[in-house]
Amino acid sequence: MKLSNLLEKLEFEVTRGNSGEKINPSVVEIKDVVNDNRKISEGSLFICIKGANFDGHSCAKEAAEKKAAAIVVSQDVELPEGSDIAVVRVKDTRYAMAFISAAYFGNPASKLKTIGITGTKGKTTTTYLIRNMLENAGHKVGLIGTIEVIIGDEHIHAENTTPESFALQEYMAKMVEAGCDSVVMEVSSQGLMLHRTQGFTFDIGIFTNIEPDHIGPNEHTDFEDYMHCKSLLFKQCKVGILNGDDVHVDDILEGHTCKVQTYGFGEGCDLRAINLAYIHKPGELGVFFDTDGFLNMHAEIKTPGKFSVYNALCAIAVAHNLGCTPEEIAPALKEAKVKGRIEMVKVSDDFTLMIDYAHNAMALKSLLTTLRDYHPNRLICLFGCGGNRSKLRRFEMGEVSGRYADFTIITSDNPRFEEPEDIINDIETGMKKTDGKYIKITDRKEAIAYAIDHGEQGDIIVLAGKGHEDYQEIKGVKYHMDERELIQEILDERK
């Protein structure tokens, strides 16, 4: 492939080695594209990426010595004397990598309907809802998100919510090859900030909601920065579908370039939920509702609360925009399940047990207040906190569970290099700010067994924090541990 073909949508300057002599990129032949210095080979294009811990610009000399055809840089680099390697100078190498990757893989996004979802909460659930609906209507849909990447029948474990641009473009190229006509993906604020989703325009961009999160070193400097990064999606999509009830929706839309549709409960929303009714049976919590606005239909979802309705409304709006009918949408919505997101596990006819990924105070409060609306006999919350992370999270989660649950079981969750009991004691500090009743059981299986053995008629039991995770991280080792398997083992032992 000619270097000029990879650079055609970028502003750049190409010079030869240390001489500074300008050269025509169409005379440079590229065999492959890499951003990892361990993968540099003769004829490759090496993109120098500056990360939190390592700067690829320091490997420019190595690239020349390994006979790479070209390097992409955003600053001066050291090269061997007499090197004739092509040096492509751009303003931002991460931004350039997205466009180069898209061109390298044949611009796969142009062959797919692309749907990107950003927001603090609801991204994962909504991607699966949309995928369910579109597949039910006969589409073949790829998925990229926090839990996994799905390409046809292949399920790949996800490392990042939004992969680096090269991996993202490679996934989309494989989806095209597998016969997919659409892809739905989670778009994190980090992904937007680091230009991972550049190189194409989304057909549909989605905003679920926003609250302070991911603020700190190597993430966002403050809430305004976090919000600004989320807003970038609406300068990179054709249609924006946004939660019209979120107080920050106008900030998210500042400078937008897309057509806008809104969903929610408010009078001004283009698609509204009306006539809500809660479903509460042993082992099943859900909501009935009708929609009003640009689509009128009756819907049923098997997950609880208003936030589930928001997720459903969003998915309905997307499916409608892509030509799906209410007859195709309704059954897909009713049957949709997402691993570790308010995932009901049937263990008894007397009480309801669920697994959820809520792993910070904000998510836990949202979940527990939602479940309160179902008027349980008792609301029981089992959770722990990760080691080598902020102690503040432990105090806050302890306080939230103490205030909103009737009974808390404090246990272990990825202690990493800390002692589980030390983390549990920190959580207890937060609990003691409340009148909440609790017990401490370090072993997570024992803790779950205690919850099941002491469940009463009408209780709702939440196993919070692990969600889709199937491991426990202790002293640098990830040991297999899936809560669904633990529950089954406990039930088998009780027989």
Side-chain angles (χ1 to χ4, degrees), residues 146-163:
T146 302
I147 299 174
E148 62 187 341
V149 175
I150 303 174
I151 304 171
D153 297 327
E154 188 181 7
H155 292 249
I156 304 160
H157 174 74
E159 296 298 330
N160 295 317
T161 296
T162 309

Side-chain angles (χ1 to χ4, degrees), residues 210-251:
I210 193 164
E211 294 180 42
D213 199 13
H214 299 290
I215 294 163
N218 299 328
E219 291 196 280
H220 300 286
T221 51
D222 51 30
F223 181 59
E224 282 65 34
D225 178 50
Y226 177 53
M227 195 155 52
H228 167 71
C229 288
K230 294 282 188 199
S231 76
L232 295 173
L233 180 58
F234 302 97
K235 301 176 181 72
Q236 199 196 327
C237 68
K238 296 170 187 171
V239 177
I241 297 176
L242 299 94
N243 177 349
D245 293 343
D246 192 281
V247 294
H248 298 290
V249 69
D250 289 339
D251 297 309

Side-chain angles (χ1 to χ4, degrees), residues 120-122 211-213 307 341-342 356-371 381 393 396-397 400-401 404 462 464-465:
T120 305
K121 299 194 298 265
E211 294 180 42
D213 199 13
F307 64 74
R341 299 306 196 274
I342 321 182
D356 191 78
Y357 189 51
H359 61 289
N360 59 37
M362 178 177 67
L364 191 63
K365 181 181 176 182
S366 174
L367 177 62
L368 295 178
T369 52
T370 291
L371 296 174
C381 180
R393 176 175 287 194
E396 289 174 345
M397 287 186 74
V400 163
S401 192
Y404 296 98
V462 180

Side-chain angles (χ1 to χ4, degrees), residues 170-350:
E170 186 173 22
Y171 286 143
M172 288 196 288
K174 287 180 178 177
M175 288 173 187
V176 171
E177 201 176 299
C180 294
D181 58 35
S182 323
V183 57
V184 57
M185 69 180 82
E186 296 182 50
V187 183
S188 66
S189 54
Q190 283 283 96
L192 287 159
M193 181 172 75
L194 298 174
H195 308 304
R196 290 175 184 166
T197 58
Q198 282 292 348
F200 66 99
T201 300
F202 285 95
D203 290 292
I204 296 175
I206 293 162
F207 167 69
T208 59
N209 50 62
I210 193 164
E211 294 180 42
D213 199 13
H214 299 290
I215 294 163
N218 299 328
E219 291 196 280
H220 300 286
T221 51
D222 51 30
F223 181 59
E224 282 65 34
D225 178 50
Y226 177 53
M227 195 155 52
H228 167 71
C229 288
K230 294 282 188 199
S231 76
L232 295 173
L233 180 58
F234 302 97
K235 301 176 181 72
Q236 199 196 327
C237 68
K238 296 170 187 171
V239 177
I241 297 176
L242 299 94
N243 177 349
D245 293 343
D246 192 281
V247 294
H248 298 290
V249 69
D250 289 339
D251 297 309
I252 296 295
L253 280 171
E254 190 175 339
H256 74 276
T257 56
C258 58
K259 177 186 169 188
V260 173
Q261 295 176 359
T262 57
Y263 64 90
F265 293 87
E267 289 289 341
C269 294
D270 300 315
L271 183 69
R272 296 172 55 229
I274 56 172
N275 305 329
L276 262 70
Y278 286 175
I279 306 161
H280 187 184
K281 305 171 192 170
E284 187 182 327
L285 302 175
V287 190
F288 291 119
F289 65 96
D290 296 317
T291 66
D292 185 36
F294 59 69
L295 183 68
N296 297 305
M297 63 175 283
H298 179 70
E300 178 184 342
I301 45 176
K302 288 185 176 176
T303 50
K306 284 181 85 170
F307 64 74
S308 293
V309 178
Y310 277 113
N311 293 341
L313 277 175
C314 176
I316 291 167
V318 172
H320 175 70
N321 270 271
L322 295 178
C324 299
T325 65
E327 292 72 28
E328 291 166 332
I329 293 169
L333 199 57
K334 188 176 178 180
E335 297 309 316
K337 290 176 185 171
V338 184
K339 187 178 182 181
R341 299 306 196 274
I342 321 182
E343 180 186 349
M344 304 291 170
V345 182
K346 184 70 186 290
V347 297
S348 168
D349 290 331
D350 295 330

Side-chain angles (χ1 to χ4, degrees), residues 19 57 75 83 154 222 235 312 379 408 430:
S19 72
H57 289 86
Q75 63 192 51
S83 171
E154 188 181 7
D222 51 30
K235 301 176 181 72
L379 181 53
T408 300

